[in-house]
Amino acid sequence: MALIALAADKGSPGVTTAAVALAAVWPRRVLLAETDPAGGDLVYRSAAAHGGPLNPNTGMLSIAATARRGLVPDQIWDHVQPLSGGLEVLVGLGNAEQAAGLAGLWPTLGHSFAALAESPHAAADVIADCGRIAGETPVVDLFPHASLVLLISRTEPEAIARVRDRAAALGNRLHGGQRGVATMGNPMIGVVLVADTNNAAKIAGQVNDMLVHAQTGARVVGTIADDPAGADQLAGRKRGRLDKSLLIRSARKVTADLYQQYGAAWSVPTQAQHGQPLGQMNGHAEAGR
């Protein structure tokens, strides 16, 4: 199993939407962690399993005190809340000021998130919504512990240029300054484009060629449909068959492709873990109706 970190360079390309969509269809047990130092969104947009609001004080805020005394991976579950559809989440900080309480703890959290995959009691992959990583954001200290770092980008020319430069900078930071094919190591840096489904394949090919030509070490690993209606359903703002939306259908393809290409490096899921995401997906779809 693995830690998968999702991030963006600038703006609002839809990191949280992509993270929730991928987690909802993930083929094994998964924990969605809101690790954006600027604060999380789920406490405002999602209901808890009991039908009421999520507790903003149980999640990244509460885990900080535990982590300062040392964090055993299984302790993470003490700070997790289930959404109404069953998806397990570690709720993010309330605001950027609270990030000071996590100073120096990001490597500890990254190690524990990755080690949760090896837990003999409650193993799970972790999808971390890291938000924007421009500047010296401390959440980048999670990345050396990840199996995949996925940069989410839209397809406007300026967005593509920024993700190219960000991928190159991350490759330099994470892979010792090597360039080109040599940087395709651990963690791998991938790009997920939020694109119109009518031309997604063409744009993905063009952006991938650009990343290769620039020797960033990153590759386009998939596209998420630019589907505002599906995003509203996922957030519970609109009713509809979420499982039939372009957003979820594209998220399923991304996860399938990731597992086909890189899943062999991760442990084989137990029988008990099969079927968990289907329940999560059905729950999200029902919540959006």
Side-chain angles (χ1 to χ4, degrees):
M1 291 187 172
L3 166 61
I4 316 296
L6 275 66
D9 179 75
K10 188 177 180 182
S12 301
V15 177
T16 298
T17 296
V20 176
L22 293 178
V25 299
W26 204 249
R28 300 189 290 208
R29 186 177 185 181
V30 67
L31 169 63
L32 174 62
E34 285 194 296
T35 58
D36 186 348
D41 295 326
L42 292 180
V43 72
Y44 304 109
R45 67 165 70 172
S46 301
H50 53 67
L54 293 164
N55 183 348
N57 298 314
T58 300
M60 289 292 289
L61 188 62
S62 62
I63 207 171
T66 300
R68 292 205 174 279
R69 300 188 296 270
L71 185 63
V72 176
D74 282 338
Q75 290 179 296
I76 293 171
W77 294 113
D78 297 336
H79 306 271
V80 168
Q81 302 178 66
L83 296 183
S84 59
L87 183 63
E88 295 167 302
V89 300
L90 188 68
V91 170
L93 300 173
N95 53 60
E97 288 71 23
Q98 292 177 345
L102 288 166
L105 296 178
W106 295 100
T108 299
L109 290 171
H111 178 269
S112 296
F113 287 152
L116 190 63
E118 308 301 326
S119 167
H121 307 295
D125 289 336
V126 176
I127 293 179
D129 172 5
C130 300
R132 291 172 53 183
I133 56 170
E136 295 298 321
T137 176
V139 74
V140 176
D141 289 338
L142 293 180
F143 292 179
H145 303 279
S147 294
L148 294 172
V149 176
L150 299 180
L151 297 175
I152 311 299
S153 176
R154 294 192 176 269
T155 57
E156 295 83 2
E158 63 274 17
I160 293 172
R162 284 196 297 265
V163 79
R164 176 200 60 202
D165 295 344
R166 180 58 56 187
L170 277 179
N172 182 66
R173 177 168 180 166
L174 297 174
H175 304 138
Q178 299 180 9
R179 302 283 289 179
V181 176
T183 65
M184 296 296 290
N186 189 43
M188 178 200 163
I189 301 172
V191 172
V192 175
L193 298 172
V194 179
D196 187 317
T197 55
N198 292 321
N199 57 4
K202 179 180 178 180
I203 292 178
Q206 293 172 341
V207 174
N208 192 68
D209 289 344
M210 179 195 66
L211 294 172
V212 172
H213 180 74
Q215 295 187 303
T216 62
R219 301 291 184 269
V220 175
V221 298
T223 61
I224 293 285
D226 187 1
D227 179 15
D232 283 344
Q233 291 171 24
L234 190 66
R237 294 189 293 263
K238 185 176 181 179
R239 297 178 179 274
R241 287 294 304 275
L242 178 57
D243 58 328
K244 301 296 185 182
S245 68
L246 291 174
L247 173 63
I248 292 302
R249 287 160 56 189
S250 62
R252 286 190 185 280
K253 186 176 189 311
V254 170
T255 58
D257 289 347
L258 287 176
Y259 268 84
Q260 182 179 5
Q261 296 180 62
Y262 313 111
W266 304 337
S267 61
V268 177
T270 65
Q271 184 63 36
Q273 289 161 350
H274 279 295
Q276 175 76 10
L278 180 59
Q280 294 170 349
M281 185 67 257
N282 287 342
H284 280 294
E286 291 167 0
R289 288 177 187 165

